[in-house]
Amino acid sequence: SFFTQCYDKDYQYVLNRERLKRIALIIGQPLSIIVNNCKNYQIIKDQCATLKANNLIENYFCINEHLDIILQTFNLKKENFSNSLHYNICLYGMGSLFFCTSEYLCFFTGDSTPVQMSNFIKDSIKHDKNNSLTHTYMLSWSNSNEIVKSQSYNEDENFYYTKNFS
């Protein structure tokens, strides 16, 4: 499953029709959208309904409408977070995990657009099956492998390994 998220400050960019078409072409299917916790989610929800009807997104889910059950699923409360920014950032990730029905989830932050998809997903699944450790896989955030390499502690033919990620 491929997910991304938006909220009331970035939805016009994230839900741009041409952008969604371009991403679907690159990844081979439309994205599902997590409408993150926000005041004006109904406007975004209405736009998502139109996009889904036009097959530009696979589906959409509103955190506002499922907030309590999502927090319960992860045994969390708002008070468990140090501030509202961390709370809202974690909500869209938890929402993606909560609504994902497939075995694998690929999440693109709302403002990211993949340039290409090589064997990234197949290589990641193969790597996971051959490893006892849990990994998070990311497409490179830079056009320069040297920058990514300088921040890694190890590499192999498919991956650079880091202790943290953005």
Side-chain angles (χ1 to χ4, degrees), residues 7-50:
Y7 69 117
D8 47 7
K9 292 186 180 178
D10 69 354
Y11 78 95
Q12 291 176 325
Y13 170 75
V14 173
L15 301 180
N16 175 279
R17 289 174 171 269
E18 293 307 312
R19 179 178 177 275
L20 291 170
K21 286 179 192 176
R22 187 171 63 249
I23 292 173
L25 186 64
I26 292 168
I27 65 174
Q29 71 182 62
L31 293 166
S32 287
I33 307 293
I34 297 293
V35 180
N36 205 13
N37 194 31
C38 59
K39 292 179 185 173
N40 298 316
Y41 78 95
Q42 188 61 48
I43 295 167
I44 305 167
K45 184 178 171 182
D46 293 344
Q47 186 170 345
C48 285
T50 301

Side-chain angles (χ1 to χ4, degrees), residues 113-165:
T113 302
V115 177
Q116 65 175 342
M117 293 287 283
S118 58
N119 290 324
F120 166 73
I121 295 171
K122 289 179 183 177
D123 290 341
S124 300
I125 292 169
K126 181 180 175 185
H127 188 264
D128 251 9
K129 287 183 177 181
N130 293 329
N131 258 291
S132 60
L133 299 173
T134 302
H135 292 85
T136 298
Y137 299 92
M138 294 177 35
L139 294 170
S140 178
W141 49 266
S142 170
N143 288 331
S144 168
N145 282 345
E146 290 306 312
I147 294 171
V148 178
K149 186 176 181 173
S150 72
Q151 296 182 2
S152 68
Y153 66 87
N154 196 10
E155 66 181 274
D156 62 30
E157 64 182 359
N158 295 318
F159 302 103
Y160 292 102
Y161 296 86
T162 64
K163 295 251 184 222
N164 54 27
F165 61 94

